[in-house]
Amino acid sequence: MAIKRYGTPTKPGATPFSKASEAAGWLFVSGQVPRDANGDIVSGSISVQARVTLENLKKVLESAGYSLEDVVRVNVFLDDTRDFAEFNRVYTQFFSVENAPARVCVQAHMMNDLRVEVDCIAYKEK
């Protein structure tokens, strides 16, 4: 079984991880955070950060030939659990009730003024 990696670091000295790894139809997407195209953290409310984070997740999926409909599991890490309701309002704009993946949401002390991080697992028959 071959493993294919997406979004591997290109800068010398970068942290060694891939944005996603694929094996046998399974795609494992690394934690996405609210970073803009330049790699800078997008500050703002949980709504702003959630939207950017989920857009980044969607881009990684699409770069590997997957879509949000292929996602079977989502892990959500919130700096403050009081942000859950607002995060969920944004989340429902990306995942429908009909296509809702399994989900875990936990509180995690975040770095660098991040309010949210999201990773996922997707599957697509090859």
Side-chain angles (χ1 to χ4, degrees):
M1 164 178 50
I3 297 173
K4 188 170 182 181
R5 291 171 174 82
Y6 300 88
T8 55
T10 56
K11 295 179 183 177
T15 301
F17 79 96
S18 300
K19 287 186 180 180
S21 297
E22 179 183 29
W26 291 95
L27 185 73
F28 301 87
V29 178
S30 294
Q32 298 300 298
V33 296
R35 291 193 185 275
D36 64 19
N38 296 323
D40 297 322
I41 295 170
V42 175
S43 61
S45 68
I46 186 61
S47 296
V48 168
Q49 287 201 358
R51 180 165 309 285
V52 172
T53 298
L54 291 168
E55 286 290 348
N56 289 342
L57 186 81
K58 183 178 174 186
K59 287 176 191 172
V60 173
L61 287 162
E62 291 173 350
S63 75
Y66 290 72
S67 71
L68 291 171
E69 289 78 30
D70 298 318
V71 174
V72 295
R73 170 74 180 248
V74 173
N75 294 310
V76 178
F77 305 92
L78 295 175
D79 189 60
D80 187 339
T81 55
R82 292 173 291 189
D83 287 336
F84 178 77
E86 192 57 36
F87 169 83
N88 205 49
R89 276 190 269 285
V90 176
Y91 182 88
T92 59
Q93 296 169 18
F94 288 82
F95 295 100
S96 66
V97 171
E98 298 81 20
N99 264 342
R103 180 174 74 178
V104 172
C105 184
V106 297
Q107 183 174 16
H109 182 70
M110 307 297 274
M111 302 177 287
N112 303 326
D113 298 322
L114 298 174
R115 300 179 77 157
V116 62
E117 182 172 347
V118 179
D119 70 31
C120 73
I121 301 171
Y123 178 77
K124 189 174 190 178
E125 271 197 54
K126 297 289 181 163

